């Protein structure tokens, strides 16, 4: 197994254990966390909204039930081990690795404790948190590793299934067909596609000595040579309908050509391929869209993002105009729009500071993680508002996200390291550590078992949900290393808001419970 960037946390704990003052300033932790969750939210916004329409409610109910079970177990362990309310609340926050919940505990204690007891009471949650935080990370990683080995998870097959057959272009090929007997005669490209449910893309057509582009309204005729792109199984169905598949025919490229073009024009970003009216403008066909390491077959409802690499087929006379329309600037897709990025991030930080009244007294704040995430999910879903483009190019988003993750892990590690080892050296941390491990493993394995075996949630998505339930970006990094795709980001963002708010509510109940 490999922890990847998550190893920064444990190096930070080792460094922080050397001296109580050897720790990074709090602003480093806050900035790193905010940068990470904000960029995750921007990238996962559309997927989060789509998941709510499909199965997001089901997934969030699963996470909420697992958290409730973890809260009940924490109260049982508190009673059994004779732990104080503060230590138990910190243990719950640490075993589920949620810093906002720890902050909520400390805020509650500040509002309710007597002044002469304040310092002692404030230290208790920190001890419980620091002792259980490492196992809160390692335990989840071990649970995911155990589950994927027991069930022999095929992440590549899952990724293809999640993207959908029509989106996966990894196996696409191009070939030419000759129409011998078209049925029904005079059918258009759109009519044949609807009749046979073909998931292929038609390109150029040769009729006699004439070349032209296929459009949905193009009427096909016997004797036409038609080029098509798609999965081999789908192309076999086309060949069966047209009557002949010609591998040896190559249509002359003197008039039409292919080119890969970067999407860097802000006016194009945030619009669907259908809204661009490409065929009417240039007679152009987009045959593939690459986003990061993933390739997609374009559909009319697909929204283009900064940094997308589109493969277009257009007339040679129009190709330069098409390139200018999309932008095709590698430099621009490597830049950050400082105004929109900083404005959205600051807006998220401000939302995190808003106090929401809590039943029974006190307030609830989303904090510097929840606020930026909620705002980023909204802005990422819209993509653009007028001339302001909220999304980031894929490469920029990944770079900023990695910087934020590293800052966060290094900071939280150094800040918790000394207290962690001091508690263990006094001999009072073993029972807290084991209790936290029980909470971590129970919550993680429950979600993994029920989600994968009974609810049939793909592990690529489920591992991100586990990271979101623990609000743990180190686990998310590990999940992405294992899956080799970005679907854990979607699972993470789909449950993170509910998990964050749910844990803040539960930790408030634990610290206030007389039981």
């Amino acid at each position: 197994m490999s922890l990847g960037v998550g190893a920064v946390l444990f190096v930070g704990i080792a460094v922080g254990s050397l001296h109580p003052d050897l720790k990074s300033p709090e602003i480093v932790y806050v900035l790193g966390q905010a940068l990470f969750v904000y960029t995750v939210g921007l990238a996962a916004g559309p997927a989060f909204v789509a998941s709510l329409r499909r199965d997001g409610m089901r997934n969030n109910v699963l996470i909420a039930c697992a958290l409730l079970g973890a809260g009940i177990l924490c109260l049982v362990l508190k009673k059994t081990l004779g732990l104080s309310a503060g230590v138990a609340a910190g243990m719950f926050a640490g075993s589920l690795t949620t810093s906002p919940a720890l902050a909520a505990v400390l805020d509650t204690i500040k509002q309710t404790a007597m002044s002469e007891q304040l310092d002692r009471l404030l230290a208790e949650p920190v001890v419980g948190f620091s002792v259980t935080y490492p196992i809160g990370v390692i335990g989840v990683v071990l649970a995911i590793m155990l589950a994927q080995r027991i069930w022999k998870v095929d992440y590549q097959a899952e990724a293809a299934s999640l993207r959908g057959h029509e989106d996966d272009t990894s196996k696409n090929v191009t070939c030419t067909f000759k129409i011998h007997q078209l049925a029904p005669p005079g059918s258009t490209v759109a009519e044949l596609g609807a009749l046979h449910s073909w998931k292929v893309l038609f390109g150029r057509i040769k009729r006699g000595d004439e070349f032209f582009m296929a459009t949905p309204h193009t009427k096909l005729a016997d004797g036409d040579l038609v080029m098509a792109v798609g999965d081999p199984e789908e192309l076999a169905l086309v060949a069966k309908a047209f009557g002949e598949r010609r591998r040896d025919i190559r249509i002359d490229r003197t008039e039409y050509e292919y080119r890969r073009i970067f999407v860097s024009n802000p006016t194009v970003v945030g619009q669907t391929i259908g809204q661009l009216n490409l065929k009417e403008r240039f007679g152009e066909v987009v045959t593939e869209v690459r986003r990061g390491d993933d390739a997609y077959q374009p559909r009319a409802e697909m929204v283009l993002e900064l940094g997308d690499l589109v493969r277009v087929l257009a007339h040679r006379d129009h190709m330069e105009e098409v390139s200018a329309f999309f932008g095709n600037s590698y430099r621009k897709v490597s830049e950050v729009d400082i105004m929109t990025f900083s404005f959205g991030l600051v807006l998220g930080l401000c939302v995190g500071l808003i106090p929401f009244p809590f039943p029974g007294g006190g307030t609830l704040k989303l904090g510097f993680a929840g606020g930026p995430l909620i705002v980023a999910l909204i802005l990422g879903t819209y993509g653009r508002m007028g001339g302001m483009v909220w999304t980031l190019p894929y490469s920029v988003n990944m770079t900023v996200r990695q910087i934020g993750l590293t800052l966060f892990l290094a900071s939280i590690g150094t800040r918790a390291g000394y207290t962690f080892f001091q508690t263990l050296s006094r001999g009072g941390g073993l029972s807290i550590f084991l209790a936290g491990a029980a909470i971590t493993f129970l919550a993680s394995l429950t979600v993994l078992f029920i989600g994968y075996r009974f609810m049939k949630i793909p592990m690529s998505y489920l591992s991100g949900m586990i990271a979101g339930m623990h609000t743990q970006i180190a686990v998310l990094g590990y999940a992405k290393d294992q899956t080799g795709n970005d679907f854990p980001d979607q699972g993470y963002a789909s449950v993170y808001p509910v998990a964050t708010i749910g844990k803040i509510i539960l930790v408030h109940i634990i610290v206030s419970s007389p039981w």
Side-chain angles (χ1 to χ4, degrees), residues 89-168:
M91 180 180 70
F92 178 83
S95 60
L96 295 171
T97 61
T98 172
S99 301
L102 176 64
V105 173
L106 298 177
D107 186 57
T108 300
I109 293 174
K110 288 178 182 178
Q111 296 178 25
T112 58
M114 303 294 291
S115 58
E116 61 271 14
Q117 299 177 323
L118 185 59
D119 290 341
R120 179 181 62 81
L121 293 176
L122 287 176
E124 290 180 349
V126 176
V127 170
F129 182 85
S130 60
V131 170
T132 56
Y133 187 89
I135 191 60
V137 178
I138 298 174
V140 183
V141 169
L142 291 175
I144 294 175
M145 182 180 68
L146 179 64
Q148 68 188 15
R149 291 197 175 184
I150 290 176
W151 296 319
K152 296 179 174 60
V153 179
D154 186 344
Y155 285 116
Q156 292 185 348
E158 282 191 351
S161 176
L162 285 169
R163 291 188 188 108
H165 180 77
E166 67 274 13
D167 287 338
D168 184 13

Side-chain angles (χ1 to χ4, degrees), residues 77-366:
L77 292 171
K78 169 192 169 186
K79 183 74 171 179
T80 304
L81 300 175
L83 302 176
S84 67
V87 170
M91 180 180 70
F92 178 83
S95 60
L96 295 171
T97 61
T98 172
S99 301
L102 176 64
V105 173
L106 298 177
D107 186 57
T108 300
I109 293 174
K110 288 178 182 178
Q111 296 178 25
T112 58
M114 303 294 291
S115 58
E116 61 271 14
Q117 299 177 323
L118 185 59
D119 290 341
R120 179 181 62 81
L121 293 176
L122 287 176
E124 290 180 349
V126 176
V127 170
F129 182 85
S130 60
V131 170
T132 56
Y133 187 89
I135 191 60
V137 178
I138 298 174
V140 183
V141 169
L142 291 175
I144 294 175
M145 182 180 68
L146 179 64
Q148 68 188 15
R149 291 197 175 184
I150 290 176
W151 296 319
K152 296 179 174 60
V153 179
D154 186 344
Y155 285 116
Q156 292 185 348
E158 282 191 351
S161 176
L162 285 169
R163 291 188 188 108
H165 180 77
E166 67 274 13
D167 287 338
D168 184 13
T169 64
S170 60
K171 299 181 180 179
N172 279 5
V173 296
T174 302
C175 63
T176 304
F177 300 98
K178 183 174 182 179
I179 302 177
H180 282 288
Q181 189 172 1
L182 185 66
S187 298
T188 65
V189 171
E191 290 170 347
L192 288 173
L195 177 64
H196 299 284
S197 300
W198 289 334
K199 297 181 178 64
V200 299
L201 187 66
F202 291 103
R204 290 167 290 179
I205 299 175
K206 182 179 180 182
R207 183 174 294 165
D209 295 328
E210 181 185 4
F211 290 92
F212 55 91
M213 295 290 297
T215 71
H217 307 293
T218 299
K219 290 186 177 182
L220 299 178
D222 292 345
D224 285 350
L225 295 178
V226 183
M227 291 191 70
V229 180
D231 184 273
E233 295 181 0
E234 290 291 322
L235 293 176
L237 299 176
V238 178
K240 184 177 180 181
F242 283 169
E244 184 180 356
R245 179 170 177 169
R246 296 282 187 90
R247 291 180 177 270
D248 56 330
I249 294 179
R250 297 289 184 269
I251 294 181
D252 188 13
R253 293 195 176 194
T254 56
E255 293 189 45
Y256 292 91
E257 65 174 316
Y258 285 105
R259 183 178 295 183
R260 294 190 181 276
I261 302 173
F262 281 106
V263 177
S264 62
N265 184 357
T267 61
V268 174
V269 175
Q271 298 192 55
T272 65
I273 293 177
Q275 291 173 333
L276 297 178
N277 297 321
L278 298 173
K279 289 185 178 179
E280 288 75 8
R281 289 185 179 188
F282 311 110
E284 171 201 352
V285 175
V286 176
T287 61
E288 184 182 79
V289 178
R290 292 194 66 87
R291 184 168 298 161
D293 293 333
D294 298 324
Y296 303 91
Q297 187 166 309
R299 292 180 293 175
E301 64 272 19
M302 186 176 187
V303 178
L304 293 178
E305 299 180 4
L306 278 173
D308 285 351
L309 188 61
V310 296
R311 186 172 186 258
V312 300
L313 172 64
H315 197 280
R316 296 176 64 90
D317 295 340
H318 297 157
M319 189 58 78
E320 294 304 321
E321 186 180 359
V322 171
S323 297
F325 175 75
F326 282 108
N328 203 29
S329 172
Y330 185 76
R331 180 180 63 84
K332 287 186 177 181
V333 299
S334 303
E335 296 176 344
V336 179
D337 188 333
I338 298 298
M339 184 185 71
T340 55
F341 179 78
S342 58
F343 179 75
L345 181 60
V346 170
L347 181 61
L349 293 172
C350 292
V351 170
L353 293 173
I354 298 175
F356 297 94
F358 195 91
T363 58
L364 180 151
K365 295 180 181 179
L366 294 175

Side-chain angles (χ1 to χ4, degrees), residues 364-388:
L364 180 151
K365 295 180 181 179
L366 294 175
F368 294 135
L373 179 66
I374 296 297
V375 171
L377 288 172
I378 296 172
L379 297 180
T381 300
Y382 281 99
R384 65 180 301 142
M385 295 178 184
M388 301 181 72

